[in-house]
Amino acid sequence: MTIKLVVSDVDGTLVRKDKSLGPQTIAAVGRLRAAGVPFTLISARPVSGVMPLIAALGVDIPLAAINGGILFRPDGGVIEEHRIERAVVEGVFALAEKSPVDRWVFAGGQWYASRGEGVHVEHERIASNQAPVIRTGFADLYARADKVTFVSDDRDLLESLAGKASAAFGDRATIGQSQVYYLDVTDTAANKGDGVAALAQMIGVELADTVVLGDMDNDVAMFDRAGLSVAMGQAPDAVKAKADWVSSSNEQDGVAQAIDAFILPRVSA
C-alpha cells in the first residue's frame, strides 16, 4: 500500500491516562505530516473535546467526533451529523432504568449527566472540555441525542446491559464500549468504520491507503476497513488480535512509536 492518511483514536490511544498529549506524540505527528502524510482524529468525544488537540497536532483536514457521528472542520464547523433514533434512546433508557449506572446524554454540543461528581465525571470534564449540566430527567433530549453513555465500574453489569441493548436495538443503533466503564449508544452511521470511510472520501484517499490506530472494541470497526491497523499495547487481547501491528501502550506514547517504527519506514519505502 501507499500510505496516504493516518487516523487515530484519542482516549486510550493518542492521549495518556491523565488525558495529556505527550511531546513525543506531538513531535512524531509533526514528522509524519512533514513526510507528506495527512493526520486526523476520530473519537467518541464530542466536538468540544477534540478541538483542543487540533492546533498542537497541526490537523488541517476534517475530523470525526461521537465515533464518526459528527464530521467537522478544524474550525469546529459541522459538516455532517447523525442523531440517534428517538425510539432507541427511549428504549435503552428503559433497559437501564433499574441498573445502578450513571447516565450521560450528549446533545446539541452539550453534555448532560445524572450526577456531577466521581472519577469518570472528572475525566470527562477534561475529555469533553466542558462541565456537565446535571439533571434527573432526560426525556426532552431523546429526539436530539448524538450519544448516550451509561457509566459503571461494574464490568459484568455493563457487559450485561450492553448485551441487552444490542439484542433489542443492535440493528437500529451502534452499541459498544469505548472504555470498559463506558457503554456508548450512537446512530447506526456513528461507528468508526463508516467514520473513517467518510474521512478518507472527503480528502480523496482510498481506505486501502489509510492507517488507523486504536485500543478498544469500538475501534475494531475501523481496523476491519482500513489498509493497516495498529493497536495500543494495553488494548484487550481481542482488539490486538484484530490489528496488523501492536505498539506500546498509550502511557508509553504508543502512537509515537507506531509512527516512527511502523508507519514512517513504510512511507520512506
Side-chain angles (χ1 to χ4, degrees):
M1 65 181 291
T2 301
I3 296 175
K4 297 181 179 179
L5 174 65
V6 174
V7 184
S8 178
D9 168 51
V10 175
D11 295 292
T13 302
L14 184 77
V15 300
R16 298 168 178 167
K17 191 178 297 184
D18 65 359
K19 307 301 182 184
S20 64
L21 188 59
Q24 295 93 332
T25 297
I26 294 172
V29 170
R31 289 190 289 275
L32 182 69
R33 296 181 67 246
V37 180
F39 178 89
T40 192
L41 305 173
I42 185 167
S43 177
R45 293 182 177 192
V47 173
S48 62
V50 181
M51 290 295 293
L53 303 169
I54 293 173
L57 297 168
V59 179
D60 55 4
I61 57 176
L63 310 95
I66 311 292
N67 289 329
I70 298 178
L71 305 174
F72 66 101
R73 293 182 292 272
D75 64 3
V78 173
I79 301 169
E80 190 174 308
E81 184 174 15
H82 301 275
R83 295 192 176 101
I84 316 167
E85 182 186 340
R86 178 194 170 90
V88 171
V89 179
E90 187 172 359
V92 294
F93 263 88
L95 286 175
E97 184 176 4
K98 296 182 180 180
S99 297
V101 295
D102 290 341
R103 294 152 174 81
W104 296 351
V105 174
F106 296 84
Q110 181 65 59
W111 167 34
Y112 300 88
S114 56
R115 67 183 184 121
E117 61 279 332
V119 63
H120 300 308
V121 170
E122 294 311 310
H123 286 167
E124 188 62 25
R125 286 176 186 270
I126 300 170
S128 66
N129 193 35
Q130 59 174 287
V133 174
I134 309 304
R135 50 160 66 200
T136 56
F138 297 86
D140 61 309
L141 303 174
Y142 288 174
R144 56 189 186 95
D146 295 316
K147 182 174 73 167
V148 172
T149 300
F150 298 111
V151 185
S152 174
D153 285 315
D154 186 333
R155 296 191 182 190
D156 292 339
L157 171 67
L158 213 57
E159 287 178 6
S160 174
L161 183 57
K164 293 175 183 177
S166 295
F169 302 107
D171 59 341
R172 297 161 66 187
T174 300
I175 300 169
Q177 291 183 250
S178 57
Q179 299 293 335
V180 293
Y181 37 80
Y182 292 157
L183 172 59
D184 291 340
V185 181
T186 54
D187 182 68
T188 52
N191 69 83
K192 291 191 178 179
D194 287 351
V196 163
L199 290 173
Q201 183 179 35
M202 283 181 185
I203 66 170
V205 171
E206 297 291 331
L207 276 171
D209 295 325
T210 301
V211 180
V212 294
L213 304 100
D215 74 304
M216 278 299 293
D217 293 345
N218 65 331
D219 296 314
V220 171
M222 65 179 181
F223 285 12
D224 289 343
R225 298 184 67 174
L228 284 173
S229 57
V230 179
M232 296 299 103
Q234 87 288 349
D237 289 342
V239 174
K240 290 191 281 191
K242 292 284 189 178
D244 295 303
W245 197 74
V246 177
S247 186
S248 56
S249 73
N250 64 319
E251 289 293 283
Q252 299 168 312
D253 299 303
V255 168
Q257 185 193 41
I259 290 172
D260 290 333
F262 182 71
I263 300 173
L264 280 176
R266 286 163 172 76
V267 173
S268 300

